[in-house]
Amino acid sequence: SGKSFMDNPEPSSCRGKGAETSEYSKEELAYATMLGDGYITSGKYKRKSGVIAECNCSFVFAQSHRHKDYVDWMAKLFTKYWKITKDKRIVGCGRNNKKYLQYSFRTKTYPFFTHLRKKVFYPYNRKRITQKILSKITPQGIAIWWMDDGCLSSTNQFTLCTDSYTLKELRIIQKWFLDRWNIKWNINKNHRLQCYMKEGIKFIRLIKDFIIPSMKYKIIPTYSNLNCTPHKAELLELFQVEEIVRSSQ
């Protein structure tokens, strides 16, 4: 037919309908997840003869047991486009190799992921971010990025863990948020994007409808800080007091 794997028609985004009913196109789902915790395998394997061979790549997504609901939600989105295999295992992390239970899934190998690895995200064997990649991302894609790598501290500081990217890439992200969404982020000494409640309110409004219930704690401020912020009225427009109290427990 002459069509490539990138030519498949994509469903339109369903903005404003909430995380449970949102539809992600195949492309945005992969792009948004790759900005955060997603990983695409190299496609290389060793044959019995010892020769290194190549096949198409697969996508891998993993989280700790605390975020099992998130992994299940993400797996459901991925099964709309690709066949996956779920897994759970004990893994080690950090300098002390602390053990924890990890939930994950992996897709089968597809030309789509080979293209994303070699041409889009890993052309130099290091995950990168570009203006072209960011142009594919809508608010619901940003929500995935935040659920993967975002954090709201007890002092109402919003932090997006972007320390794997170069300073040049961070400035691209920073400029994109400001130009496209009118949200100003600062770059801290650890190469992470940060902002406080003034900009955070705008950020919450942007992604709130696409955050799944078990990840709401990443956008709801603590109750103890509610009376200390000049943005109390705005926060109470976004969240019920009961939500804030529950998130603080």
Side-chain angles (χ1 to χ4, degrees):
S1 64
K3 286 188 176 183
S4 74
F5 60 88
M6 296 290 286
D7 291 330
N8 293 331
E10 308 286 10
S12 59
S13 298
C14 297
R15 296 186 184 181
K17 294 186 178 180
E20 299 304 318
T21 57
S22 296
E23 289 191 13
Y24 290 79
S25 72
K26 177 170 66 174
E27 190 173 52
E28 183 180 20
L29 180 60
Y31 274 58
T33 316
M34 283 299 298
L35 291 178
D37 292 334
Y39 172 73
I40 298 176
T41 62
S42 67
K44 295 180 180 179
Y45 67 98
K46 184 181 289 187
R47 290 176 172 165
K48 291 182 179 179
S49 63
V51 175
I52 302 297
E54 289 194 29
C55 62
N56 281 316
C57 301
S58 61
F59 175 91
V60 181
F61 186 78
Q63 296 277 326
S64 75
H65 67 280
R66 294 182 301 137
H67 296 151
K68 181 181 181 298
D69 285 351
Y70 181 45
V71 175
D72 289 342
W73 177 77
M74 190 68 72
K76 186 176 180 181
L77 293 178
F78 267 73
T79 54
K80 182 172 183 178
Y81 302 111
W82 305 286
K83 292 182 179 179
I84 69 168
T85 302
K86 290 185 176 182
D87 188 27
K88 66 176 181 179
R89 64 182 65 188
I90 302 295
V91 298
C93 181
R95 288 178 294 180
N96 298 323
N97 200 32
K98 185 178 180 180
K99 306 295 183 182
Y100 70 95
L101 178 61
Q102 180 189 79
Y103 287 86
S104 66
F105 66 84
R106 174 192 292 259
T107 70
K108 291 185 176 296
T109 59
Y110 291 95
F112 178 81
F113 293 117
T114 303
H115 170 81
L116 289 192
R117 180 176 176 92
K118 294 184 176 181
K119 303 296 184 181
V120 181
F121 284 99
Y122 299 91
Y124 308 109
N125 292 318
R126 179 191 67 82
K127 187 193 284 190
R128 68 170 181 174
I129 193 165
T130 65
Q131 180 64 45
K132 188 173 181 179
I133 289 171
L134 291 172
S135 70
K136 308 285 186 182
I137 307 300
T138 68
Q140 59 184 13
I142 298 172
I144 285 181
W145 193 3
W146 185 255
M147 288 188 284
D148 278 9
D149 288 340
C151 173
L152 176 57
S153 74
S154 59
T155 58
N156 291 339
Q157 179 174 270
F158 294 75
T159 302
L160 186 58
C161 297
T162 50
D163 34 306
S164 64
Y165 297 119
T166 66
L167 182 58
K168 180 179 179 181
E169 289 169 330
L170 292 184
R171 287 173 176 154
I172 290 173
I173 300 170
Q174 185 185 42
K175 186 176 186 301
W176 175 73
F177 267 113
L178 185 60
D179 293 348
R180 180 68 180 87
W181 309 109
N182 192 32
I183 299 172
K184 183 179 180 180
W185 293 86
N186 298 312
I187 301 172
N188 71 11
K189 63 181 181 180
N190 297 317
H191 276 210
R192 296 180 175 185
L193 296 185
Q194 288 184 331
C195 70
Y196 285 93
M197 194 54 72
K198 180 181 177 181
E199 298 300 314
I201 288 285
K202 291 187 284 185
F203 185 66
I204 291 172
R205 291 186 190 280
L206 183 68
I207 67 172
K208 178 179 179 288
D209 289 343
F210 307 110
I211 302 295
I212 67 172
S214 65
M215 290 297 211
K216 289 282 189 182
Y217 75 93
K218 289 197 171 195
I219 61 169
I220 299 179
T222 59
Y223 182 72
S224 60
N225 286 328
L226 187 60
N227 292 320
C228 302
T229 173
H231 303 283
K232 178 180 177 180
E234 292 171 282
L235 288 170
L236 291 177
E237 288 178 10
L238 292 168
F239 305 109
Q240 298 292 326
V241 173
E242 292 79 6
E243 282 186 285
I244 297 174
V245 172
R246 190 164 54 247
S247 181
S248 303
Q249 294 173 343

